[in-house]
Structures are given as C-alpha cells and as structure tokens.
Amino acid sequence: DGGITQSPKYLFRKEGQNVTLSCEQNLNHDAMYWYRQDPGQGLRLIYYSQIVNDFQKGDIAEGYSVSREKKESFPLTVTSAQKNPTAFYLCASSIRAGLKGYTFGSGTRLTVV
Amino acid sequence: GQNIDQPTEMTATEGAIVQINCTYQTSGFNGLFWYQQHAGEAPTFLSYNVLDGLEEKGRFSSFLSRSKGYSYLLLKELQMKDSASYLCAVKTNAGKSTFGDGTTLTVKP
C-alpha cells in the first residue's frame, strides 16, 4: 500500500545539536511539505517542494533546512539556529492539482532538552 | 497574507448536529479543505470545496461561499469518535495550504 512514512516517531536531542527528520513517500506525489504544530495550535508551513531539486520557504523557515534530491524523499534538518524546536513535525505530500488535499505522515515529536 | 478564523472549542451531544464555521481572507484562493485530527495523530482529509455550494459526503458536509470568505463543516448524527480537532485550510495559487488553528470538538453522551 502506498503511503508516507516519517521517522522516528519520537526524537530527543540536546540543545545546540542539529537533527534531521526523515520523510519518505511512495505515492508518486510531486509536491511535499513540512509543517510544525505546537500544542493547541494549527499547522504552520516550514518548507515546501513542488518538484524535485526545487523548494520554497514557508512562513517559518528560519532555523530549518531541506533538500529534495529524490521525488520520494524530503528530509528536514532542524538546526541549532531554531530557537524553539520542540514541537510536533508533520510531513505531507500531494499531487500537483491537490484536489484531494494532503496525505500526512504520522509525525515526529521532537523534544530538545 | 492570509487570515483564517475558527472557533477554538465546541461541545455537542451524541446524535446531534454541529456546524463548525471558518472565515478566511486570502489572495489567490484556490480551494478550501477540511481535515480531522485526533489527539496525537496526523490530520486526515475530510473535504474539498473550490466552487460555491454544499458538498455532501455521508455524515459530513462542507459549504463554501467565496464572495463571503466563509465555509462551514456540518457533522450529523454525532458519534463519540467524532471528538477531535477540525482544521480549516485554504489553498492558494502558489500550491500551498495555510491552516487555521483548528476547532476542538467534544462529543458528550
């Protein structure tokens, strides 16, 4: 069955360390997205990519970086420059037309101690 | 920029009907989505409206008025499992979606 996989589900890191969150999809979707969700809040867009080797900043890109070297993969790196990285991170994908919305991964809960 | 407003919380009784409203201000509107999110889980797609009117899908319906910047999600015959957050998201011509903060619905027996 096709789907979108995020790993790991829970991640703990020390303050000042960079960490990379994995996102892989086998849905043959062109577009992929990273969102951050804080408790009691909606999703805020970090980065998105409409096509391989191209990506754009979202609303809260500072302190994050991404790459899109393969259609299936869109890893997110949380750098030490991100001032408040503890959050629930959601990866999503969609077809270009996007008529059925996003398919989300199960999320990664990052805690920085 | 974009601005999306939804009520923070709603409570309803099992078997009843509830309407969750969403108002938005955006440029380059290209559709509105509703998602359901249970606590600690990822959102799942419920509905998509791009033209004015009502879209019905089983117990759930979604309405859109583009001229008023307004949508609602209607849930009928509420069940306990419908207790969740409901997220309104507006898609723009740039291909990305902006989400509201969500409405937490509690269904009581």
Side-chain angles (χ1 to χ4, degrees):
Chain A
D1 288 340
I4 181 166
T5 302
Q6 288 186 245
S7 61
K9 191 171 180 66
Y10 298 95
L11 189 57
F12 295 87
R13 278 294 181 269
K14 291 184 178 180
E15 194 171 341
Q17 288 183 333
N18 291 357
V19 61
T20 297
L21 281 58
S22 170
C23 179
E24 303 278 333
Q25 55 98 359
N26 60 3
L27 299 164
N28 200 32
H29 285 173
D30 289 306
M32 297 186 74
Y33 311 82
W34 275 105
Y35 285 87
R36 167 183 174 142
Q37 188 173 36
D38 293 285
Q41 296 187 29
L43 280 64
R44 291 184 290 167
L45 183 64
I46 304 172
Y47 269 97
Y48 65 108
S49 169
Q50 303 276 46
I51 197 167
V52 176
N53 292 322
D54 187 42
F55 50 83
Q56 288 79 38
K57 292 182 179 180
D59 301 317
I60 55 166
E62 186 176 352
Y64 299 97
S65 66
V66 293
S67 62
R68 187 84 189 278
E69 297 176 1
K70 298 186 299 181
K71 188 175 185 177
E72 302 80 17
S73 179
F74 192 42
L76 173 74
T77 296
V78 184
T79 76
S80 57
Q82 168 50 233
K83 296 179 180 179
N84 187 19
T86 295
F88 187 46
Y89 290 87
L90 285 160
C91 180
S93 68
S94 72
I95 60 173
R96 293 285 296 271
L99 297 180
K100 292 191 175 181
Y102 294 165
T103 299
F104 283 91
S106 56
T108 292
R109 195 167 297 277
L110 173 65
T111 302
V112 175
V113 297
Chain B
Q2 298 181 70
N3 189 33
I4 300 173
D5 289 314
Q6 313 177 225
T8 302
E9 296 178 334
M10 298 184 72
T11 301
T13 304
E14 193 175 14
I17 299 172
V18 70
Q19 177 174 313
I20 303 174
N21 295 326
C22 172
T23 58
Y24 63 89
Q25 294 175 314
T26 187
S27 56
F29 177 84
N30 197 22
L32 187 143
F33 295 95
W34 283 96
Y35 293 86
Q36 180 190 61
Q37 185 179 26
H38 285 98
E41 298 181 9
T44 55
F45 168 78
L46 288 178
S47 68
Y48 172 64
N49 295 71
V50 65
L51 300 176
D52 289 353
L54 187 68
E55 295 281 343
E56 296 186 81
K57 190 185 297 183
R59 294 190 298 116
F60 292 4
S61 303
S62 57
F63 171 83
L64 175 68
S65 169
R66 289 172 298 171
S67 62
K68 295 182 180 179
Y70 168 69
S71 174
Y72 68 72
L73 180 69
L74 193 71
L75 291 76
K76 303 176 185 177
E77 301 170 16
L78 280 173
Q79 302 175 9
M80 298 299 292
K81 67 178 182 179
D82 296 330
S83 291
S85 286
Y86 292 86
L87 306 174
C88 172
V90 172
K91 184 183 176 186
T92 67
N93 291 331
K96 58 179 181 175
S97 290
T98 298
F99 286 77
D101 286 343
T103 299
T104 299
L105 173 66
T106 302
V107 180
K108 296 187 173 180

